[in-house]
Structure formats: C-alpha cells, structure tokens
Amino acid sequence: MTTTLKSRLQADLTAAIKARDELRSSTLRLTITAITKEEVAGESARELSDAEVEKIVAREAKKRREAAEAFEKGGRAEQAEREKAEGEVLAEYLPKPLTDDELNALVAEAVREAAAGGAEGPRAMGDVMKIVNPKIAGRAEGGRVAAAVKRQLAGG
C-alpha cells in the first residue's frame, strides 16, 4: 500500500513524461528517488508515511531554494531560475506556508501555554519551540519560527 502523496507524485511524473514536461519530470524523478532511498535506508525496507514523504519533499524544496540563492550570488541567473522553477514544482506538494499573522498567532498561543507551565522569558525558548513545532509542521521554516518566538519572548 503506497502513501497517497507518493502515489500522487508518481502519477504526476507519468503525466509530466507524457506531456514532455522536462522540468517537472526531472524534478519529480529526483524527488521520488530521494523517497525511495529513504525507504531502503536502515535495517529493512519500509513504506514511508505521508508525513515522512512530505518531509523529504520539503527537504528537496529547501535544497532548490539554497541552490538558487547560491547561483544568484555566483551570477548564474539561468541556473538560479531553473532551481526556483523546480522549487515551485515541489511547493505544489507541500502544505501552504503560514502567513506572518498565522505564525505569530500560533507562537503567541505557545508562549501562553509555556508561561502557564512556568516557563517565561528568554529561557523559555526551548519549551515554546517544543509546543509550537508540531502545530506548524512544515508550514514555516525553523529560522522564521525561532525568530518569531524570540520576538514574542522579548516582549515584542
């Protein structure tokens, strides 16, 4: 039984190949390879959950973003555009990113929860992150979340 996200990726890959969409098919092929690699890593081969597949897709999208930035800094605009386009293909398979308002609301709630548990001030950072991370689950980058937590713990 394959996960629904993985089977969607495979179905979309087949469609992209038939449509001769080189960008989409190569991006999906690389992503499916990364998923397969993860499935056979470790003691025995196993089926990944949708959440695990989503993490791999997010990791692949992050690689594309970082590569695009590196290419831009190196003055290689064409490669940067290709990486951005691949990242956009992968973004279709990820949950919609949180807006700043949504992120701040979730962080504020976690700060209140941590304070109710006795954790306050800058030292509460770890407690707040433990509370907020599962609620955010791949919809905001860690650095963005940490910055929002720091801001709110500092009273900003």
Side-chain angles (χ1 to χ4, degrees):
M1 124 136 213
T2 55
T3 60
T4 52
L5 183 56
K6 184 179 176 191
S7 45
R8 183 176 148 211
L9 287 163
Q10 288 170 323
D12 289 355
L13 170 61
T14 305
I17 291 169
K18 285 180 182 165
R20 299 197 191 298
D21 184 340
E22 191 276 328
L23 171 79
R24 191 173 199 79
S25 59
S26 73
T27 303
L28 294 177
R29 193 175 281 124
L30 286 168
T31 304
I32 291 168
T33 301
I35 293 165
T36 307
K37 216 187 267 179
E38 192 78 26
E39 286 176 331
V40 297
E43 294 293 307
S44 60
R46 65 191 180 85
E47 194 70 47
L48 296 180
S49 70
D50 263 358
E52 290 171 308
V53 170
E54 198 176 278
K55 276 189 178 133
I56 295 168
V57 174
R59 190 174 63 214
E60 291 293 311
K62 184 178 181 189
K63 282 184 196 171
R64 302 307 190 289
R65 266 195 312 279
E66 290 169 352
E69 286 172 22
F71 281 132
E72 274 178 359
K73 284 182 187 150
R76 297 171 67 186
E78 207 171 290
Q79 285 94 336
E81 284 307 309
R82 167 82 186 197
E83 294 291 336
K84 278 184 193 161
E86 288 181 6
E88 285 166 17
V89 167
L90 294 175
E92 295 171 27
Y93 299 94
L94 295 171
K96 202 171 166 304
L98 292 171
T99 64
D100 287 343
D101 290 343
E102 291 168 329
L103 176 62
N104 289 331
L106 285 170
V107 169
E109 188 182 309
V111 168
R112 281 193 299 276
E113 235 175 277
E120 288 192 29
R123 284 195 294 287
M125 179 92 183
D127 295 326
V128 175
M129 291 299 281
K130 273 188 211 125
I131 295 167
V132 84
N133 275 335
K135 295 177 183 174
I136 289 174
R139 295 184 299 153
E141 283 187 11
R144 200 173 143 218
V145 177
V149 171
K150 275 186 191 142
R151 253 195 326 275
Q152 292 200 24
L153 286 175

